Amino acid sequence: MFSFKRLIKFSLYLAVLAGLALVALYFSMRSELPNVQSLKNMQWQTPMQIFSADHKLINQYGEKKRIPLKLHDFPQQLVNAILASEDDRFYLHFGVDPIGMGRAVLGKLMGKNKGGASTITMQVARNFFLTREVTYTRKIREIFLSFHIESLLSKDEILALYMNKIPLGHRSFGFGAAAQVYYGKDVKALTLAQIAVLAGLPKAPSNLNPIRSPKNAKANRAIVLQRMYSAGYINSTELSQANQSPITGKRHSAKIELNAPYIAEMAHQEMIELYGKEQAYTGGYKVYLTVNSTIQNAAEHAVVNNLLSYDMRHGYRGPISSLRPENKTNTKVSSNDPTDEKFHIRDNELSDEEIYQVLTKTISYQTLIPAVVTGLLEQSASIKVIDTIHNNSSLIIEDRILWQGMSWAREFINDENQGPAPKRADQILNYGDVIYVVKTEQGYKLSQLPQVSSALISLSPDDGAIKAAVGGFSFKQSQFNRVTQAKRQVGSNIKPFIYSAALDNGFTLATLVNDAPINQWDRSSGSVWRPKNSPPTYDGDIRIRLALAQSKNVIAVRLLRAVGLNKIIPHLASFGFSPHDLPRSESLALGSASLTPLEIVTGFATFANGGFLIEPYLIDRIEDSFGNILFQANPAVACELCEANDTDTDVELADNQAEYPRQTSDLPLIKAERVISLQNAFLVTQALNAAIWGADWRIKPFWQGTGWRAKVLKRRDIAGKTGTTNQSNDAWFSGYSRRLVTTSWIGFDNGGRNLGKTLYNRNLDKKQIFGLEAGAKSAQPAWIDFMKVALDDYPVESFEQPLDIVSVRIDKTSGKLTSKTDKSSRFEYFKVGTAPTEYVTQDNSEQILDGSDNTAEEDIF
């Protein structure tokens, strides 16, 4: 008895000493312990996500994948699984579990693994503040920090921190991200079997995850499920069903809902400029852009389809590569049965394994699908492709290309010449060719990766909000963004700005200018400068409206001469063009300046909005990971009403929210700078509307403007201008409605290569006619295809006639007043005080002919 009492007494002394030692140790280490107060307002390191205006995910940036959630956002079964597998007494202990720790110490002394002693609170302390080194000092710090955490936070708050912080493999942190990475699901959509797999990952995420080791994941899942069953969280039926479920985990990336890589990269770079790379990648920012997914998709399709069409016009350059054995010749099949569609191949047929290997190594671009030719009929070919219809990347399927899908494939000789039209499939393809095809409603069609490049940019002229942007055929092919980075000669796209300067310096839309050849000696080059119209036809005296609509080169030069470079260059600079990019020579009138599509579309926006210079912007707002708005764009607006009545701005805007949707009551109104008059913008727009719609009758046959193809849109409220540079190196079309302005460009990245000629069969004596690629043929089709979709969101809205613009009837030939109402006359717009005062004296009505449709096709300088 005595010895037992002494043992008890000794143990008490020892416990007191241990307690005092622990207290002394705590005070000695307290200054070194991290401050856990930061957990109260935790800023999660989460990736940056970029969304469209209609909340479609465009891209995600950042190494760590995390989806921060509140505790109530996690399914209860997942919470139960975590408690059962990690800390079943979590809600009972004070941060350290004496029972668990005693079991762990006993197991250590006995040389057996009795389970870890770390509670969820201790894991939070370790994951947030400590390293993973295995030392007694770190363990003691972990215990002390756990006490601090338990005193600061509730149990639910601690559990939420754990479930959002824990690393779970494949760069996923927290169970919200793990659900997406392993199952491509929201965490609430997980099944019990999937929950059990994820709940078992904290112990060893690299070895227990279902991607690396389905076997280990299944075994660990059984342990978690058994613990849930023992704790009463699930019944025997649920246990059995979950244990029998297959392991289905595979790697899922963030679900991209809108493919717009050039747009994403523009926003990405802007965020890095704002916050720095590290903060941008970890700050959990949600970036909402001004881009609408429907319009952006339309832009992507318009650019891709236009480039493929251009490429097809210039001939087929051959296969990507060939798998054809050396001893094999093309297989031609003859059959008495016209419905027999079997393809027969001679010896040494390619195996599906060979085909699969080459197809998986061949990059897909946009709509281009890699395929292998496996047989030929007279006017069709069999191909094998990877099954993309059922999203089965491991299955090879066989299909065919019919004649209408390959008959375009004349041999490419150079940019200006193609071979004769093929008559048989074996003149185009060989057995074993690795090719690109596109899937159409009519079946597969032979295609190829375009060498030519393009860009399209569309924005709101009211405030500069970018609505769509495409910087090239494929971001995988080239990350060079031609919208913002490609400075190219603009050709006749510069003419509306030249004409705008002329209208501010004494000219009107009815002013006659001599359309005649120019010959000028150039002392610097020792040669004669002879700018020519394209086509090289000249009409003598011609009204300015018609000259701009038909893109008369010599008229633009004469106007520049009349106004003078000293006035022209500052006028053009007011549209946002850098004076350094504007050559101080008469070639400026023909488009020798090099500008980006973004700069061009910004300039055209000034005509669309009535004379204001807006600044393009892409980011609408930035939110933190919890939805708090950190930044809200407040662009300067092209606002005629608020400029006219500054004292009642709020009232005017309230009545016109549809016109200025971006203004909110808590943001100050910023007015865009007016750079040209409303009257000037209206008159230029009238001339550019004539480039599309304004067919005119003159002494010579009927003419149309260079943009006449846009009539297919059946919108009278649009205006536009073609542009083609010398030798057709660049082709443009810029046009607009009152609420949307868009620029399309096409050309080769190698500026020395021109767009060449293409075959146009006009059925003139059955002759094949080759014509130069130009703005109307090469750039405008993409603009039209895009605007077909984009303008659906905008009702017809005519360009409103300003109060101090008058309309009078003039004679088309002389530009003077007339009293006639026949085809020799038309109404024309003038600024008040600039309308003609003299009536025409010569009768021109008999000279007006109902001639043929002689369309202005080209506008090359």
Side-chain angles (χ1 to χ4, degrees):
M1 177 68 72
F2 177 75
S3 61
F4 179 72
K5 287 182 177 181
R6 291 187 63 184
L7 179 61
I8 294 296
K9 190 175 182 179
F10 177 77
S11 297
L12 289 174
Y13 284 140
L14 189 62
V16 170
L17 288 174
L20 291 173
L22 193 62
V23 170
L25 184 61
Y26 168 75
F27 279 103
S28 69
M29 298 179 65
R30 185 172 61 175
S31 61
E32 301 175 8
L33 294 176
N35 185 0
V36 299
Q37 190 68 36
S38 60
L39 295 177
K40 199 70 177 171
N41 298 295
M42 186 62 205
Q43 297 294 318
W44 294 108
Q45 290 188 358
T46 55
M48 173 175 64
Q49 293 182 309
I50 297 175
F51 297 90
S52 66
D54 48 343
H55 294 204
K56 305 288 186 182
L57 180 62
I58 299 176
N59 211 335
Q60 180 171 290
Y61 296 89
E63 293 185 0
K64 291 185 176 181
K65 302 181 179 71
R66 180 180 279 114
I67 304 174
L69 298 171
K70 304 291 185 182
L71 187 62
H72 60 77
D73 292 326
F74 292 104
Q76 188 59 45
Q77 284 284 46
L78 178 58
V79 174
N80 295 340
I82 296 299
L83 294 175
S85 59
E86 291 295 318
D87 191 351
D88 56 352
R89 285 179 295 278
F90 172 70
Y91 282 96
L92 301 176
H93 61 64
F94 46 87
V96 176
D97 183 7
I99 298 175
M101 186 166 288
R103 183 179 61 225
V105 172
L106 181 61
K108 193 78 171 175
L109 295 174
M110 296 175 63
K112 296 180 180 180
N113 185 6
K114 297 289 186 178
S118 291
T119 63
I120 284 177
T121 309
M122 293 168 70
Q123 291 185 61
V124 167
R126 180 171 64 244
N127 288 330
F128 279 96
F129 302 111
L130 303 172
T131 66
R132 299 189 71 86
E133 61 176 342
V134 183
T135 64
Y136 290 111
T137 302
R138 192 222 71 191
K139 197 67 176 178
I140 292 171
R141 287 178 178 172
E142 190 177 292
I143 292 171
F144 291 155
L145 283 174
S146 298
F147 295 154
H148 283 197
I149 292 171
E150 290 276 347
S151 67
L152 177 69
L153 302 175
S154 69
K155 287 289 188 179
D156 284 355
E157 289 174 325
I158 295 169
L159 184 57
L161 287 173
Y162 172 82
M163 296 184 72
N164 282 310
K165 176 71 173 180
I166 192 74
L168 297 171
H170 288 279
R171 296 191 298 173
S172 64
F173 291 79
F175 288 94
Q180 175 63 49
V181 167
Y182 292 110
Y183 299 110
K185 292 182 177 182
D186 183 272
V187 69
K188 288 187 176 180
L190 294 171
T191 66
L192 175 60
Q194 293 166 342
I195 283 173
V197 170
L198 297 186
L201 290 178
K203 290 181 173 59
S206 61
N207 293 323
L208 298 177
N209 75 74
I211 297 174
R212 178 172 181 177
S213 179
K215 182 179 178 181
N216 290 348
K218 187 173 183 178
N220 197 52
R221 180 185 69 180
I223 296 172
V224 174
L225 288 169
Q226 185 61 44
R227 288 180 177 175
M228 292 181 72
Y229 174 71
S230 299
Y233 293 132
I234 60 175
N235 57 40
S236 59
T237 302
E238 291 172 317
L239 174 66
S240 176
Q241 290 176 347
N243 271 324
Q244 293 174 16
S245 298
I247 296 294
T248 57
K250 63 178 182 179
R251 181 161 189 146
H252 294 77
S253 56
K255 187 178 180 181
I256 302 302
E257 299 169 292
L258 174 61
N259 180 33
Y262 290 103
I263 282 283
E265 185 58 25
M266 290 168 66
H268 171 218
Q269 291 301 322
E270 190 169 341
M271 288 296 292
I272 289 176
E273 291 175 10
L274 286 172
Y275 295 102
K277 189 171 184 178
E278 182 177 354
Q279 178 64 17
Y281 281 10
T282 61
Y285 299 114
K286 293 183 178 179
V287 186
Y288 291 90
L289 308 184
T290 56
V291 171
N292 172 276
S293 63
T294 300
I295 296 179
Q296 177 62 32
N297 280 328
E300 195 83 27
H301 294 155
V303 168
V304 168
N305 292 338
N306 188 51
L307 287 175
L308 292 176
S309 295
Y310 168 90
D311 211 53
M312 288 169 59
R313 292 198 296 271
H314 290 264
Y316 181 55
R317 295 186 298 274
I320 305 167
S321 61
S322 179
L323 292 177
R324 180 186 174 199
E326 294 181 0
N327 63 342
K328 181 175 289 298
T329 58
N330 281 334
T331 298
K332 301 177 184 178
V333 180
S334 60
S335 173
N336 295 326
D337 182 358
T339 65
D340 182 6
E341 298 182 358
K342 294 181 179 179
F343 294 87
H344 302 287
I345 302 301
R346 295 180 183 174
D347 297 335
N348 302 323
E349 289 187 25
L350 294 169
S351 68
D352 279 357
E353 178 60 27
E354 292 176 273
I355 293 172
Y356 178 79
Q357 289 299 323
V358 73
L359 291 181
T360 53
K361 293 178 182 178
T362 305
I363 301 174
S364 298
Y365 299 96
Q366 299 290 14
T367 56
L368 298 180
I369 303 169
V372 173
V373 178
T374 55
L376 296 168
L377 287 172
E378 186 172 355
Q379 289 194 331
S380 64
S382 68
I383 58 172
K384 287 191 175 181
V385 297
I386 291 178
D387 182 11
T388 56
I389 298 175
H390 303 97
N391 199 27
N392 190 341
S393 60
S394 62
L395 180 64
I396 297 291
I397 60 173
E398 186 171 31
D399 214 301
R400 65 178 55 201
I401 309 174
L402 301 177
W403 186 243
Q404 58 264 35
M406 67 170 78
S407 59
W408 64 269
R410 296 168 176 267
E411 179 189 1
F412 173 84
I413 297 175
N414 54 46
D415 291 323
E416 298 189 355
N417 296 282
Q418 302 95 47
K423 299 184 182 300
R424 301 188 316 273
D426 63 353
Q427 294 175 327
I428 304 168
L429 301 171
N430 292 301
Y431 175 76
D433 279 354
V434 182
I435 61 173
Y436 282 120
V437 296
V438 293
K439 182 73 171 176
T440 70
E441 292 181 357
Q442 294 75 37
Y444 283 103
K445 184 176 184 178
L446 176 65
S447 192
Q448 59 191 353
L449 182 63
Q451 295 178 344
V452 70
S453 299
S454 184
L456 187 144
I457 172 70
S458 184
L459 53 79
S460 165
D462 289 320
D463 62 1
I466 294 175
K467 298 299 183 182
V470 180
F473 178 76
S474 169
F475 196 73
K476 285 193 289 186
Q477 180 192 25
S478 169
Q479 296 181 18
F480 181 66
N481 189 344
R482 294 152 190 86
V483 166
T484 58
Q485 295 175 291
K487 281 188 176 289
R488 304 297 294 245
Q489 284 193 331
V490 298
S492 294
N493 254 206
I494 203 70
K495 289 177 183 174
F497 307 100
I498 302 293
Y499 279 67
S500 170
L503 291 171
D504 270 0
N505 285 274
F507 289 85
T508 72
L509 293 183
T511 302
L512 296 181
V513 182
N514 187 19
D515 181 27
I518 294 175
N519 293 282
Q520 176 180 315
W521 177 258
D522 187 341
R523 291 182 180 179
S524 61
S525 65
S527 61
V528 177
W529 185 51
R530 296 188 177 95
K532 298 178 180 179
N533 288 338
S534 181
T537 58
Y538 303 88
D539 297 320
D541 287 342
I542 185 174
R543 285 175 290 116
I544 278 185
R545 171 191 281 269
L546 202 56
L548 182 54
Q550 295 181 10
S551 198
K552 293 285 189 177
N553 287 335
V554 297
I555 300 296
V557 175
R558 293 188 192 281
L559 291 177
L560 182 144
R561 288 179 173 179
V563 176
L565 280 170
N566 289 336
K567 291 184 177 179
I568 286 283
I569 288 182
H571 188 84
L572 267 60
S574 69
F575 289 89
F577 308 143
S578 170
H580 301 293
D581 293 328
L582 304 175
R584 293 192 63 85
S585 69
E586 292 183 350
S587 68
L588 175 62
L590 305 179
S592 60
S594 293
L595 302 168
T596 67
L598 183 61
E599 291 171 323
I600 284 290
V601 80
T602 303
F604 271 86
T606 299
F607 296 129
N609 66 31
F612 297 91
L613 179 62
I614 49 87
E615 183 176 352
Y617 73 101
L618 180 60
I619 296 178
D620 172 45
R621 70 182 186 280
I622 303 171
E623 297 180 358
D624 64 17
S625 57
F626 296 105
N628 301 309
I629 296 178
L630 304 177
F631 165 82
Q632 174 66 61
N634 186 30
V637 296
C639 179
E640 188 68 34
L641 291 176
C642 59
E643 181 181 73
N645 189 358
D646 286 331
T647 60
D648 198 19
T649 296
D650 292 339
V651 174
E652 295 289 355
L653 286 175
D655 293 338
N656 292 276
Q657 280 297 313
E659 185 172 354
Y660 307 108
R662 307 207 58 74
Q663 294 303 312
T664 58
S665 58
D666 57 342
L667 292 176
L669 174 69
I670 303 173
K671 295 182 296 184
E673 177 188 4
R674 175 173 285 286
V675 294
I676 60 173
S677 68
L678 178 61
Q679 297 75 31
N680 185 290
F682 176 79
L683 294 174
V684 172
T685 295
Q686 289 302 308
L688 294 179
N689 177 265
I692 296 172
W693 283 105
D696 209 346
W697 295 92
R698 287 179 40 77
I699 296 175
K700 293 191 175 183
F702 178 48
W703 286 84
Q704 298 190 88
T706 57
W708 63 269
R709 289 170 175 84
K711 288 182 181 180
V712 70
L713 296 176
K714 299 180 181 179
R715 296 278 298 235
R716 290 275 180 174
D717 62 331
I718 56 175
K721 184 70 190 75
T722 52
T724 313
T725 62
N726 196 22
Q727 303 301 320
S728 292
N729 283 12
D730 300 272
W732 300 76
F733 190 85
S734 296
Y736 53 92
S737 70
R738 175 60 189 88
R739 302 298 171 189
L740 195 68
V741 55
T742 304
T743 287
S744 168
W745 166 84
I746 186 172
F748 288 96
D749 287 334
N750 174 5
R753 182 176 176 182
N754 64 51
L755 291 167
K757 295 180 179 179
T758 186
L759 177 65
Y760 290 90
N761 192 338
R762 299 185 182 177
N763 297 320
L764 301 176
D765 300 325
K766 297 183 179 180
K767 293 182 179 179
Q768 294 179 340
I769 296 179
F770 286 82
L772 283 172
E773 295 277 0
K777 297 185 183 79
S778 308
Q780 191 182 22
W783 186 91
I784 291 172
D785 286 349
F786 168 73
M787 295 295 265
K788 279 180 184 176
V789 178
L791 287 178
D792 281 346
D793 288 341
Y794 300 90
V796 173
E797 182 180 0
S798 61
F799 296 94
E800 186 175 351
Q801 180 179 338
L803 292 176
D804 47 359
I805 290 287
V806 296
S807 176
V808 300
R809 187 177 286 278
I810 63 167
D811 173 65
K812 290 182 178 180
T813 301
S814 66
K816 298 178 180 179
L817 295 176
T818 183
S819 58
K820 292 185 176 294
T821 59
D822 57 19
K823 292 180 179 179
S824 68
S825 69
R826 65 159 293 148
F827 280 101
E828 188 57 275
Y829 293 104
F830 299 89
K831 295 180 187 177
V832 170
T834 66
T837 57
E838 182 182 354
Y839 276 84
V840 64
T841 57
Q842 180 179 351
D843 185 358
N844 296 316
S845 59
E846 294 182 359
Q847 301 179 45
I848 306 300
L849 305 176
D850 290 354
S852 61
D853 182 355
N854 193 354
T855 303
E857 291 280 4
E858 310 292 345
D859 56 348
I860 307 171
F861 72 79

